[in-house]
Amino acid sequence: MVQSRRLPSALPFANQVAIFSRLEKANPHPETELEFTNPYTLVVAVALSAQATDVGVNKATKGLFAVADTPEKMLELGLEGVTAYIKTIGLFRQKAKNVIALSRILVDEYGGEVPDSRAALTALPGVGRKTANVVLNCAFGHPSQAVDTHIFRVGNRTRLAPGRDVNEVERAIEDNVPVRFQQHAHHWLILHGRYICQARRPRCAVCIIADLCPYEEKTI
């Protein structure tokens, strides 16, 4: 019988406070790097960001959102029109279909408004739990945690939120991160993973939490 790997325990409360206090001091008001103008354009931008970079998505959506920043306008633009704007993004054909399909649902079922419900959001084509959590957090101010590969890596390396998969890490953030840091926790962690605690070679020498981090394979 194969036993599952036992996860290390999360950092104690005091350590969590110390780490997030430093992250907060360095970046008091972190934001998503995806560019959007309203909840609808955020839904579209995050849906397009799957297997794509935020920079690449922003380049494509700059023109798209200039002509279609509501589901009604997106439907008027049509599938071919959407495709033409996002063809530089990976999987653009399927993503264009999803954008049209989710826009139709928003118009028909929600009067063109984006619902602030995770269940309603994840029922939209191309919208998964991570996308829904980004929208709930950034558009509606919910302390939801959108866990991607960066947050998964940082959560486990630092033991701020250890987990075997993204769902476990999401729960670990909710269970262990002090409440006053919950609103911005996923922003701080994703930015830290993207620019400092990188996958192949973490930049521990310039990391502001290196002395508090239990990660053994430091690159100092």
Side-chain angles (χ1 to χ4, degrees):
M1 179 178 178
V2 178
Q3 294 183 342
S4 60
R5 178 177 62 88
R6 184 176 180 178
L7 284 172
S9 58
L11 289 181
F13 180 82
N15 298 64
Q16 297 263 358
V17 170
I19 286 176
F20 279 103
S21 293
R22 290 187 189 180
L23 295 175
E24 180 181 46
K25 183 177 181 180
N27 188 0
H29 305 289
E31 298 178 348
T32 177
E33 294 186 321
L34 287 171
E35 296 174 358
F36 67 99
T37 58
N38 55 37
Y40 171 70
T41 54
L42 178 59
V43 170
V44 173
V46 183
L48 293 177
S49 70
Q51 299 182 47
T53 65
D54 288 358
V55 172
V57 171
N58 289 339
K59 288 181 179 179
T61 57
K62 183 177 181 179
L64 176 63
F65 294 158
V67 298
D69 59 355
T70 68
E72 293 86 355
K73 292 178 182 178
M74 198 70 74
L75 292 175
E76 291 178 6
L77 186 60
L79 179 61
E80 290 186 3
V82 174
T83 301
Y85 278 102
I86 68 169
K87 61 185 178 181
T88 57
I89 300 175
L91 307 175
F92 67 92
R93 290 188 177 85
Q94 183 57 52
K95 289 178 179 179
K97 292 178 181 177
N98 288 339
V99 168
I100 291 297
L102 71 84
S103 298
R104 172 54 62 193
I105 292 172
L106 290 176
V107 169
D108 291 348
E109 299 184 17
Y110 299 99
E113 299 296 323
V114 175
D116 60 346
S117 157
R118 184 182 288 112
L121 287 168
T122 55
L124 298 174
V127 177
R129 186 178 181 89
K130 185 187 78 171
T131 300
N133 283 344
V134 171
V135 174
L136 290 173
N137 184 287
C138 298
F140 298 111
H142 294 262
S144 52
Q145 309 302 327
V147 178
D148 68 352
T149 55
H150 296 301
I151 296 177
F152 179 81
R153 178 175 65 256
V154 174
N156 278 287
R157 281 181 176 174
T158 62
R159 284 176 41 209
L160 286 167
R164 298 178 183 84
D165 55 41
V166 293
N167 291 328
E168 284 193 0
V169 170
E170 180 183 332
R171 289 194 296 272
I173 294 174
E174 294 172 346
D175 291 344
N176 297 293
V177 174
V179 172
R180 74 183 182 94
F181 299 116
Q182 289 275 337
Q183 180 62 41
H184 297 310
H186 93 271
H187 287 303
W188 285 318
L189 294 177
I190 192 173
L191 293 172
H192 195 69
R194 184 173 290 168
Y195 298 111
I196 302 298
C197 195
Q198 297 169 335
R200 293 187 178 181
R201 188 173 177 80
R203 302 175 62 209
C204 301
V206 295
C207 176
I208 62 174
I209 62 170
D211 60 312
L212 301 172
C213 173
Y215 184 54
E216 295 181 356
E217 300 177 33
K218 287 189 170 70
T219 56
I220 297 176

